[in-house]
Amino acid sequence: MARTTLALAAFALASDVASAAKVALRRGREPPAELSSFDLGCYMVEDPSPLEEGGAKGRSYRGLVSTTVSGRTCQKWSASHPWEDASAMKPEADEESKLDENDPNSKSMMKWGNGLGNHNYCRNPDQSMSEPWCYTMDPTEDHKKEICGVPKCAAATRDFGAEANTLAMEVGSTDCQCMDQLYGSTVTTRDTSVALAQGQGSGGGGGG
């Protein structure tokens, strides 16, 4: 008798879960799939490097999240139902090109496209929101467009070497007008350099 009761309870629970899933699907929602951290990915708030362009606010996001924060299923970008706005947005390809085409070791510049295609993954093709989003399968206007809750990427580690090179180019150290004081004049044999101790002493007052 006890086994029969447990079996009936298990069957009833399974039926409830199945019914809830069907209701969710009818409303354009589905339980979010379990994605690995690699598939989930993260989005960049800003372009992380001068070598990237157009990827801010998650426009460069290429992860596989396909549900919104409310659990609604994303509509395919190539589909026109329930929202024609999705198919009206045309795909733009990513473009990667070398800074110097004649140098095989040249760094590359990435110009991000919009990531659209025959899929329903969250994107931010027009940067109309602050993070990746999608049109949903819910025909209700209030839920037409929702964010997907993709995590932000951690801030990129600063490249101090690159910053130093950039700064040197901007300052133009070879044109520095203080060279005579630092290293001595190049147009006279007289010693015009200023010793560090002398420079420090000139600013102090006499002691009692």
Side-chain angles (χ1 to χ4, degrees):
M1 183 65 181
R3 289 182 180 178
T4 302
T5 302
L6 288 174
L8 290 173
F11 178 77
L13 179 60
S15 298
D16 290 343
V17 171
S19 297
K22 289 179 180 178
V23 171
L25 288 172
R26 284 199 298 270
R27 293 179 179 175
R29 285 183 280 181
E30 65 180 12
E34 290 294 331
L35 295 176
S36 68
S37 58
F38 177 81
D39 292 334
L40 174 63
C42 60
Y43 78 92
M44 299 301 303
V45 176
E46 299 177 346
D47 287 326
S49 162
L51 297 177
E52 293 188 29
E53 176 185 332
K57 298 182 180 180
R59 192 167 187 259
S60 61
Y61 175 70
R62 298 294 182 265
L64 306 183
V65 175
S66 59
T67 56
T68 68
V69 289
S70 68
R72 287 174 168 79
T73 303
C74 293
Q75 174 183 328
K76 274 191 175 184
W77 295 100
S78 56
S80 58
H81 179 78
W83 306 107
E84 294 183 358
D85 307 58
S87 60
M89 304 181 78
K90 302 306 178 185
E92 296 175 11
D94 302 334
E95 296 179 9
E96 186 173 10
S97 58
K98 287 185 176 294
L99 295 179
D100 183 353
E101 294 294 342
N102 297 319
D103 181 2
N105 298 317
S106 172
K107 292 184 178 181
S108 296
M109 176 76 184
M110 172 62 81
K111 183 178 180 182
W112 291 101
N114 58 20
L116 301 187
N118 187 29
H119 61 74
N120 70 333
Y121 302 134
C122 301
R123 297 289 184 259
N124 193 1
D126 55 359
Q127 295 177 310
S128 59
M129 302 187 82
S130 62
E131 59 187 278
W133 57 274
C134 69
Y135 291 104
T136 77
M137 291 301 294
D138 190 331
T140 308
E141 183 69 30
D142 290 345
H143 299 290
K144 174 180 180 179
K145 182 177 174 179
E146 293 183 348
I147 60 173
C148 300
V150 176
K152 294 179 183 179
C153 295
T157 303
R158 291 177 62 184
D159 187 341
F160 290 100
E163 291 180 23
N165 291 334
T166 302
L167 182 60
M169 292 176 65
E170 291 178 353
V171 170
S173 57
T174 56
D175 294 328
C176 178
Q177 299 303 310
C178 61
M179 292 290 286
D180 288 357
Q181 291 182 322
L182 291 174
Y183 306 110
S185 176
T186 58
V187 295
T188 178
T189 56
R190 184 175 148 212
D191 185 6
T192 59
S193 62
V194 178
L196 178 61
Q198 181 181 345
Q200 290 176 332
S202 63

